[in-house]
Amino acid sequence: MGNSVIGNLDHEVWNLLGIDVESRRKQLINERILVTGASGQLGFDICRELEKRKIEHVGTNSTDFNITNKEKTKDYIMKYNPTVIIHCSAYTAVDKAEDEPEKCFNTNKGGTCNVAEICKELGCKMIYISTDYVFSGTGEIPYEVNDETEPQNIYGKSKLAGEGIVKELLDKYFIVRISWVFGKNGNNFVKTMLRIGGEKDKINVVSDQIGSPTYTADLAPLLCDMAISEKYGTYHATNEGFCSWAELAEEIFEVAGYKTKVNPITTKEYPTKAIRPKNSRMSKLVLSKNGFEQLPTWKNAIKRYITELNQQNI
């Protein structure tokens, strides 16, 4: 029956019978979803959301198959025979990628190609997780999904190459660009600041890189909504609002009750091997146009995330 139709019954009939239409629709979802990179921050929360919705799924990681190994990847996925693949597995060591570009491209382009080819053979949907790093990072205006791409580092170039493969091979795809990711299951900027905030009175943080944090617990429901829809295309999905890394650090310390002071510095004062975009603002206009709910504000997300971490440590 698929995921978008409840037979031919009029909604009013369902309502007269006291049956909630949305609940009934969820019961009739007939997707079988495979999540790569399920041990990472985003993959972990996607599987948690799918479990909550009682949607059939399997979460995979490198112990199940390495996406750069075409035969093993195909063997595993074909046996599960999914209707949707949410592809979270990726090479994400941004600075290290500058020293090992081949390895980065083998995973983010080659591995993605392997997954996309299987999707094509099965006729299933694919959700490919991409990044704000596909843009040049210049200016101050939020990037639209169709704006010119011009990645400035190896990681960004490899993820853009993955986007190209998905677009070339598939019709039923979602490309979802995210940025500044944080979640329960893994290391991230928020956890680092919480650790440092408990040790130092003052810390230098870059203030001229502007973007939006993305809480995986907020992003996961959106991706699941996409998975059971047919609203294909390219999207930007982050928590609402923009901030600098320094402003993000200040908010983290305030919510955590730390007295650590943030000293704003420039990108030039904090050199890294890989070039970071100064403008990581991304417009979510397409998200709204296609009827998907935008994520909560980043400040709201930070509060809930730190609360979750505190409860985890109790």
Side-chain angles (χ1 to χ4, degrees):
M1 178 169 285
N3 61 348
S4 60
V5 180
I6 305 180
N8 293 315
L9 288 175
D10 193 318
H11 284 197
E12 291 184 8
V13 176
W14 286 108
N15 291 333
L16 286 171
L17 292 173
I19 299 173
D20 180 73
V21 175
E22 289 304 315
S23 296
R24 183 58 178 158
R25 181 179 286 114
K26 289 178 182 179
Q27 290 174 15
L28 293 173
I29 292 170
N30 193 31
E31 302 290 8
R32 186 168 54 259
I33 300 175
L34 184 144
V35 182
T36 67
S39 59
Q41 294 183 95
L42 180 55
F44 176 83
D45 274 330
I46 290 172
C47 289
R48 195 161 64 164
E49 179 67 18
L50 290 169
E51 183 68 30
K52 178 181 175 182
R53 298 188 186 198
K54 302 191 184 321
I55 296 176
E56 183 181 347
H57 68 281
V58 62
T60 67
N61 53 49
S62 58
T63 60
D64 297 304
F65 59 86
N66 185 323
I67 61 170
T68 62
N69 186 315
K70 188 172 184 177
E71 288 186 4
K72 290 186 177 179
T73 298
K74 184 174 182 177
D75 182 60
Y76 189 102
I77 295 177
M78 294 296 282
K79 283 180 180 177
Y80 186 68
N81 191 27
T83 60
V84 186
I85 295 179
I86 304 179
H87 185 40
C88 299
S89 181
Y91 181 110
T92 58
V94 178
D95 287 317
K96 195 174 181 180
E98 298 296 310
D99 293 325
E100 45 186 35
E102 185 176 353
K103 185 175 182 180
C104 181
F105 267 84
N106 282 344
T107 300
N108 294 345
K109 181 183 179 182
T112 296
C113 183
N114 291 338
V115 174
E117 287 179 344
I118 296 167
C119 286
K120 183 176 183 179
E121 187 170 342
L122 290 174
C124 72
K125 308 172 191 177
M126 180 174 180
I127 299 180
Y128 173 71
I129 306 302
S130 192
T131 173
D132 58 304
Y133 282 21
V134 299
F135 296 112
S136 66
T138 58
E140 297 180 356
I141 299 173
Y143 286 101
E144 300 292 346
V145 295
N146 292 321
D147 282 347
E148 182 180 356
T149 52
E150 191 181 352
Q152 300 295 299
N153 56 44
I154 295 297
Y155 169 70
K157 291 175 182 178
S158 71
K159 292 300 287 184
L160 181 60
E163 287 190 15
I165 290 291
V166 172
K167 290 179 180 178
E168 178 184 341
L169 294 178
L170 303 175
D171 295 318
K172 299 192 294 185
Y173 69 83
F174 301 85
I175 292 172
V176 184
R177 296 174 182 146
I178 62 178
S179 62
W180 301 17
V181 179
F182 64 96
K184 177 182 178 181
N185 200 48
N187 296 318
N188 54 64
F189 180 81
V190 183
K191 285 185 177 179
T192 299
M193 290 301 102
L194 290 172
R195 175 176 53 80
I196 293 176
E199 302 170 351
K200 296 186 177 181
D201 296 326
K202 189 175 183 180
I203 180 174
N204 295 333
V205 185
V206 173
S207 63
D208 59 354
Q209 295 175 21
I210 312 297
S212 300
T214 309
Y215 185 18
T216 54
D218 288 338
L219 180 60
L222 171 62
L223 296 177
C224 292
D225 288 343
M226 287 182 176
I228 61 175
S229 81
E230 295 178 351
K231 299 175 181 179
Y232 306 119
T234 302
Y235 294 86
H236 295 160
T238 67
N239 284 96
E240 284 302 296
F242 303 120
C243 63
S244 67
W245 289 108
E247 289 170 328
L248 176 56
E250 288 174 341
E251 184 68 15
I252 293 167
F253 295 148
E254 182 176 340
V255 172
Y258 293 162
K259 297 187 181 300
T260 310
K261 299 296 181 183
V262 175
N263 179 42
I265 61 172
T266 65
T267 298
K268 285 185 178 181
E269 293 176 283
Y270 188 76
T272 55
K273 183 157 288 189
I275 298 172
R276 261 62 172 188
K278 287 189 175 182
N279 179 22
S280 284
R281 302 171 182 88
M282 293 192 291
S283 166
K284 271 80 75 176
L285 183 61
V286 174
L287 203 64
S288 300
K289 280 186 174 180
N290 285 328
F292 292 114
E293 290 188 17
Q294 294 190 358
L295 307 188
T297 65
W298 68 268
K299 285 189 176 183
N300 177 277
I302 290 295
K303 289 178 182 177
R304 286 182 288 111
Y305 179 57
I306 291 177
T307 297
E308 180 182 28
L309 292 180
N310 289 337
Q311 290 174 342
Q312 178 182 325
N313 293 329
I314 290 176

